[in-house]
Amino acid sequence: MNKRFKICLFHFLCLIGLEALFELLIFDNYMRTTIFSILFFILPISLLISLLTQVFKRKVSFILGILIYGFLGFWFSLEFIFKRVYQVFFSISLFQLTDQVVAFGGNAILAIIKNLPFVILFFIPLILFIVFKNKLLVTRLKGKRLLIGILTLIL
C-alpha cells in the first residue's frame, strides 16, 4: 500500500474515531443517515489534513499536525463537557451571555475532573500522531503531486 494512502487513512480513521466516540458518549446510538453523513464530510477533511501535513517541511508539518489534532481534541472535549453540564451544544454565540460564561468556568473544572477519562480519549489522535510521527511525516509534495492533491480535494 502507498505510504501517502496510509497517511490519509490514518487521518480518516482518527476523525472517524473522534466522531464515533462523541456520538456514542452523547447520544448512545447511531442512525444510518448519521453514519453516511459523517463519512461523507470527514473524507474531504481528512484529505485536507493529509495535504496540509505533506506540503511543508517535516518540522512545520509536525507542528501543524499537533495544532490540528490538539485543536480537535480540545473542541470535542469542550463540546462533550458543555453538553454534559448544560445539556446544550456549545456555540460561539453563547459568549454573548458573559455572566454565564464566568459561571461555566467554575463548573467546567469540576466537569473536566469528573469526565477526565473521556476527555483523554478525545486526545488519543494527538497522542498517536506524536508517537507515529516518523511514519506519518513524509517528504514534501511538489509539482504534479501537489497539484493532483489540491485537485482531488476540490473535486
Side-chain angles (χ1 to χ4, degrees):
M1 204 180 320
N2 186 359
K3 188 168 185 176
R4 294 189 196 279
F5 178 75
K6 288 180 183 177
I7 293 169
C8 189
L9 184 63
F10 170 81
H11 295 301
F12 182 73
L13 292 176
C14 282
L15 293 174
I16 289 289
L18 283 172
E19 276 291 335
L21 178 65
F22 182 76
E23 294 280 332
L24 287 174
L25 291 176
I26 295 297
F27 300 117
D28 295 329
N29 62 8
Y30 269 110
M31 295 177 5
R32 270 188 229 145
T33 56
T34 305
I35 293 172
F36 178 73
S37 63
I38 288 172
L39 291 174
F40 182 73
F41 288 110
I42 285 184
L43 183 61
I45 293 170
S46 64
L47 288 172
L48 177 65
I49 293 172
S50 295
L51 188 65
L52 285 175
T53 57
Q54 294 178 32
V55 170
F56 303 105
K57 293 180 181 179
R58 287 178 61 92
K59 191 172 191 177
V60 175
S61 295
F62 179 65
I63 293 170
L64 192 59
I66 287 176
L67 289 174
I68 289 169
Y69 283 115
F71 175 76
L72 287 173
F74 172 76
W75 187 259
F76 276 94
S77 298
L78 176 70
E79 286 283 342
F80 174 73
I81 296 295
F82 205 83
K83 178 72 172 157
R84 281 279 173 108
V85 172
Y86 292 108
Q87 301 303 316
V88 295
F89 289 106
F90 178 77
S91 170
I92 304 276
S93 64
L94 290 174
F95 281 122
Q96 294 173 351
L97 310 169
T98 55
D99 58 333
Q100 293 179 1
V101 171
V102 173
F104 175 69
N107 293 340
I109 294 171
L110 294 173
I112 290 170
I113 292 170
K114 184 178 175 183
N115 296 300
L116 191 60
F118 300 119
V119 171
I120 291 171
L121 285 176
F122 288 118
F123 285 96
I124 285 179
L126 173 65
I127 295 166
L128 290 174
F129 184 79
I130 292 170
V131 169
F132 295 115
K133 71 178 180 180
N134 291 331
K135 294 185 180 197
L136 293 172
L137 299 174
V138 295
T139 58
R140 293 172 46 179
L141 288 174
K142 296 179 186 176
K144 288 183 181 179
R145 288 184 182 254
L146 179 60
L147 184 61
I148 290 171
I150 292 172
L151 289 175
T152 302
L153 187 61
I154 291 172
L155 296 176

